[in-house]
Amino acid sequence: MKLLRYFDTDDGSLPELEVRYLNPDKVSKAFEYLFANNARNVTAGGGYLWIKSSKKEKPFSGSGDAALVVCKSAEPFHVVLAGITIAKCTLPDLGVLVMPSSLNIDYRMGSAWGASEVNALLKLLKELCGLGGTLVAPWWGAEGEHEFTEALRRA
């Protein structure tokens, strides 16, 4: 599998894949989709959102928190999700940065990623794009982005 090289060796970085949405409401739907597929929040300390009106932190409470970012009541937030299961394959932990018009997904490269996990991630990305998103993979440069786009098309 050609894409495996973007996953198999842990170099200490956290590569990012971004799904951008023209319709911001789809960001909430995409984030909810992760939880509908067994995502569990495993963020150290549980994770927090910064609420603009009160100028205070609020503990992350679940998939509905993405709507607060979309409507600009809260600043973008990042959580680490474990247990996401696609096509009977449980993905390694994924970091998810919820932005007003995108989900930025980061991952730790390494031995937890095999062909099954990469294929499951592609299926997940295809579903997220099916909600009106576009995959962007600038982390890996033009060649890598092209390879991800092609793999996604075939997934």
Side-chain angles (χ1 to χ4, degrees), residues 1-11 13 15-17 91-94 105-115 117-122 125 140 144 148 151:
M1 159 175 264
K2 199 172 187 179
L3 281 187
L4 205 50
R5 67 187 175 124
Y6 297 109
F7 293 88
D8 61 1
T9 305
D10 184 357
D11 65 2
S13 66
E16 289 184 0
L17 301 166
L91 293 171
D93 294 357
L94 298 176
I105 299 169
D106 63 72
Y107 59 93
R108 170 78 58 206
M109 298 185 304
S111 60
W113 290 97
E117 289 77 14
V118 173
N119 282 326
L121 178 62
L122 285 170
L125 292 169
W140 295 112
F148 270 95

Side-chain angles (χ1 to χ4, degrees), residues 15-148:
E16 289 184 0
L17 301 166
E18 183 179 345
V19 183
R20 293 182 183 160
Y21 294 91
L22 290 175
N23 178 346
D25 292 338
K26 300 297 184 182
V27 173
S28 297
K29 294 233 181 297
F31 194 60
E32 288 166 8
Y33 182 81
L34 301 177
F35 285 86
N37 285 280
N38 301 324
R40 291 184 327 277
N41 177 23
V42 294
T43 307
Y48 290 88
L49 286 76
W50 182 259
I51 304 301
K52 294 178 182 181
S53 61
S54 65
K55 295 185 174 41
K56 290 185 178 166
E57 284 184 333
K58 153 190 149 19
F60 175 75
S61 62
S63 63
D65 285 351
L68 298 173
V69 175
V70 170
C71 75
K72 302 201 165 97
S73 296
E75 292 292 334
F77 65 88
H78 184 272
V79 289
V80 178
L81 301 178
I84 297 171
T85 305
I86 304 293
K88 298 182 182 163
C89 180
T90 301
L91 293 171
D93 294 357
L94 298 176
V96 181
L97 173 63
V98 178
M99 301 285 286
S101 60
S102 68
L103 291 182
N104 294 12
I105 299 169
D106 63 72
Y107 59 93
R108 170 78 58 206
M109 298 185 304
S111 60
W113 290 97
S116 301
E117 289 77 14
V118 173
N119 282 326
L121 178 62
L122 285 170
K123 287 178 180 146
L124 171 64
L125 292 169
K126 190 166 191 121
E127 290 294 326
L128 296 178
C129 288
L131 293 169
T134 304
L135 178 69
V136 187
W139 181 275
W140 295 112
E143 180 185 350
E145 189 163 37
H146 176 73
E147 288 181 25
F148 270 95

